[in-house]
Amino acid sequence: KTANDFLFRNEEHLLKSESINNLILGLACGIQKSEIEASDPLFLSIIQNGKLAGQALLSNPSRPLVVSRIIDGGIIHLCEFFKKENITLKGVVGPSKPSSLFSKQWSSKTNLGMHQGIYELLEVKLPKNSGGELVFADERDLDKLTVLVEGFVRDCFPEEQEVDKRYIEILNRQIRNKTLYVWKLKSGEIVSMAAVARESKNAATISMVFTPEHHRGNGYGSLVTAYLSKRVLESGKKKCNLFTDLLNPTSNSIYRKIGYKKIGESMHYHFI
């Protein structure tokens, strides 16, 4: 019934592949701590032969169903549950195999929205700093932050129908949770941003890495990601993870150079 109940039953199982399951773990932990808003959330455990076979979480009817690694037969039971309960789903997202199987089982009318790599970092390799620092973002820079977050949403989620509402929602949440950071030059100019999107027991997820077009090519994205990852590790976390667009060789190369290694893939399907 609650995020507490869900984590009590499932956290240990999900932590065995913590970075692969970072989305479902991070959402559950965020809802538990009231850092992520949820509307009529559903927390699901899949049990086969008395053992956990997988998990699913629906944080909001307007968001996709999030799945963990699930034993193949569990996908059928998961689909049957939603159809029996007459619950409409906007899509599904999670590790490639279970999300693809669920999509095929659910509907013949689906679109692949994103195919992403899941990356993990245990030790950061800091790039050369040509002058600048990682700075916590606050409301004094709200105008600049608004431009950056809007740019990120428009670049990364072009299919988003309510862009204005989405980026304002993300910005407000990041400011409220104090999880947004920027790379600021000695001149005071903000040239890039990144955020800690979610946390689980041993890891944190880096997201919202964005550099405006006129500042690209200067290594600012590498710097803000590397120094934020360093900050996360110094806070006591054992690892960082992130998602990256597999169609963008530049970002994949940047993350590998600072210590991230690809450990899996994620699929996000939209249901038509």
Side-chain angles (χ1 to χ4, degrees):
K1 296 294 183 180
T2 68
N4 279 334
D5 295 339
F6 177 79
L7 288 167
F8 179 79
R9 177 185 284 265
N10 295 281
E11 186 174 30
E12 184 178 351
H13 185 260
L14 288 166
L15 286 173
K16 293 175 182 177
S17 300
E18 188 168 5
S19 287
I20 295 291
N21 292 320
N22 79 78
L23 182 55
I24 193 166
L25 266 170
L27 283 173
C29 291
I31 293 169
Q32 180 190 45
K33 297 174 183 176
S34 299
E35 294 173 350
I36 295 174
E37 293 181 8
S39 175
D40 298 321
L42 279 174
F43 304 97
L44 302 168
S45 303
I46 301 163
I47 313 295
Q48 284 188 304
N49 301 320
K51 295 182 180 180
L52 277 168
Q55 298 83 11
L57 193 161
L58 186 64
S59 62
N60 189 306
S62 66
R63 308 308 300 165
L65 176 71
V66 182
V67 296
S68 68
R69 282 178 166 169
I70 299 173
I71 294 174
D72 293 357
I75 295 293
I76 296 172
H77 295 300
L78 189 60
C79 284
E80 287 176 348
F81 168 82
F82 282 102
K83 290 179 178 179
K84 181 181 177 181
E85 297 294 324
N86 197 29
I87 297 172
T88 300
L89 294 175
K90 297 290 186 180
V92 63
V93 61
S96 294
K97 188 175 181 181
S99 55
S100 296
L101 287 174
F102 186 94
S103 177
K104 291 175 183 177
Q105 186 76 22
W106 183 259
S107 173
S108 60
K109 296 180 180 180
T110 63
N111 284 331
L112 176 59
M114 280 188 284
H115 183 189
Q116 296 180 306
I118 305 172
Y119 279 72
E120 182 180 80
L121 175 143
L122 302 177
E123 185 176 349
V124 65
K125 301 173 185 176
L126 293 176
K128 183 179 179 181
N129 184 357
S130 56
E133 62 178 335
L134 182 75
V135 177
F136 171 69
D138 61 39
E139 293 182 346
R140 289 175 295 180
D141 295 314
L142 190 58
D143 290 344
K144 295 175 182 177
L145 296 174
T146 300
V147 172
L148 289 172
V149 176
E150 181 181 5
F152 167 77
V153 173
R154 292 189 185 280
D155 266 20
C156 299
F157 306 102
E159 79 284 351
E160 192 76 46
Q161 294 181 355
E162 297 182 332
V163 173
D164 294 344
K165 180 180 178 181
R166 181 80 170 129
Y167 83 76
I168 291 172
E169 171 190 313
I170 291 173
L171 176 60
N172 288 340
R173 182 175 70 244
Q174 293 293 339
I175 293 290
R176 182 178 68 248
N177 294 340
K178 303 184 185 303
T179 47
L180 187 61
Y181 296 81
V182 296
W183 191 258
K184 186 175 284 191
L185 301 181
K186 291 180 180 179
S187 64
E189 186 176 11
I190 292 174
V191 294
S192 192
M193 77 169 181
V196 177
R198 295 176 296 278
E199 292 189 35
S200 51
K201 184 176 181 180
N202 307 299
T205 302
I206 307 298
S207 184
M208 294 177 63
V209 180
F210 180 77
T211 304
E213 194 169 347
H214 59 285
H215 284 305
R216 293 175 188 173
N218 296 300
Y220 298 138
S222 296
L223 286 164
V224 73
T225 306
Y227 276 83
L228 182 52
S229 300
K230 177 175 180 285
R231 189 184 188 108
V232 167
L233 295 178
E234 289 177 344
S235 75
K237 297 294 185 184
K238 296 178 181 178
K239 64 190 83 171
C240 299
N241 49 57
L242 54 77
F243 290 106
T244 183
D245 183 355
L246 289 175
L247 296 177
N248 186 336
T250 301
S251 64
N252 284 266
S253 174
I254 285 172
Y255 297 136
R256 285 194 297 269
K257 286 178 181 176
I258 61 176
Y260 280 89
K261 295 180 180 180
K262 185 183 170 199
I263 59 168
E265 296 184 7
S266 171
M267 300 282 204
H268 181 177
Y269 291 92
H270 300 282
F271 299 150
I272 303 171

